[in-house]
């Protein structure tokens, strides 16, 4: 068995790198690390991800389904301000939860990036919880 140490980065597929970079820096507040002709390397706190141009259609979920999504932590103090900021920018939150049980617990809001990738922001109060614990 492999013994991995954690996640170095994950990839979010996009159709327009400029549009995606603007969204993730100006709306999500993330830092651009570097860019090449088909990828933008980003940092969110201590974690990294890559916006990658996809030649294939970007359709991770039908409608407002959110099974395939990317979740980012926000502080309890920033959660309500983040929701207000998204509304001010015309970004619709299509689902909210206040999970009190399960693997990841806390208030969360789901919305789409410009390519309809689902983004979750979560005021994480407990996680991860193993099955049977909560």
């Amino acid at each position: 068995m492999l013994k991995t140490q954690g996640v170095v980065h994950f990839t979010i597929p996009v159709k327009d790198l400029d549009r995606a970079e603007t969204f993730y820096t100006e709306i999500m507040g993330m830092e651009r690390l570097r860019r090449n002709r088909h990828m933008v390397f980003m940092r969110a706190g201590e974690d990294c991800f890559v916006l990658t141009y996809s030649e294939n259609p970007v359709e991770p979920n039908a409608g407002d389904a959110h099974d395939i999504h990317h979740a980012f932590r926000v502080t309890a103090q920033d959660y309500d301000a983040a929701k207000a900021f998204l509304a001010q920018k015309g970004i619709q939150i299509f689902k909210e939860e206040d999970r009190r049980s399960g693997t990841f617990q806390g208030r969360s809001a789901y919305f789409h990036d410009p390519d309809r990738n689902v983004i979750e922001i979560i005021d994480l109060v407990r996680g991860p919880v193993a099955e049977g614990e909560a």
Side-chain angles (χ1 to χ4, degrees):
M1 157 186 344
L2 296 174
K3 295 195 181 215
T4 60
Q5 300 294 305
V7 175
V8 175
H9 66 81
F10 59 90
T11 299
I12 298 176
V14 301
K15 295 304 289 178
D16 182 322
L17 283 175
D18 292 331
R19 180 181 68 187
E21 181 180 340
T22 298
F23 177 84
Y24 284 93
T25 56
E26 295 180 11
I27 301 296
M28 297 296 294
M30 290 147 181
E31 175 189 2
R32 175 186 145 171
L33 297 175
R34 94 178 170 81
R35 180 174 171 162
N36 64 31
R37 64 176 183 76
H38 67 282
M39 294 186 286
V40 182
F41 296 82
M42 305 292 297
R43 183 187 339 254
E46 299 292 318
D47 304 311
C48 294
F49 64 99
V50 181
L51 302 170
T52 302
Y53 173 76
S54 175
E55 293 181 9
N56 298 317
V58 178
E59 298 177 24
N61 300 289
D64 284 341
H66 63 287
D67 292 333
I68 299 171
H69 68 277
H70 307 287
F72 295 94
R73 292 183 309 271
V74 296
T75 66
Q77 298 80 9
D78 289 339
Y79 181 80
D80 291 321
K83 287 183 7 182
F85 177 75
L86 291 170
Q88 175 189 13
K89 294 296 184 180
I91 298 169
Q92 177 190 4
I93 293 171
F94 66 85
K95 180 175 181 171
E96 286 190 73
E97 297 179 308
D98 190 357
R99 290 188 297 263
R100 304 293 177 159
S101 63
T103 305
F104 299 99
Q105 299 173 24
R107 298 179 296 162
S108 67
Y110 296 84
F111 52 95
H112 292 106
D113 78 359
D115 290 286
R116 292 200 41 84
N117 291 296
V118 175
I119 305 299
E120 173 188 8
I121 55 170
I122 182 168
D123 162 20
L124 188 65
V125 295
R126 183 172 181 209
V129 178
E131 279 193 46
E133 285 188 61

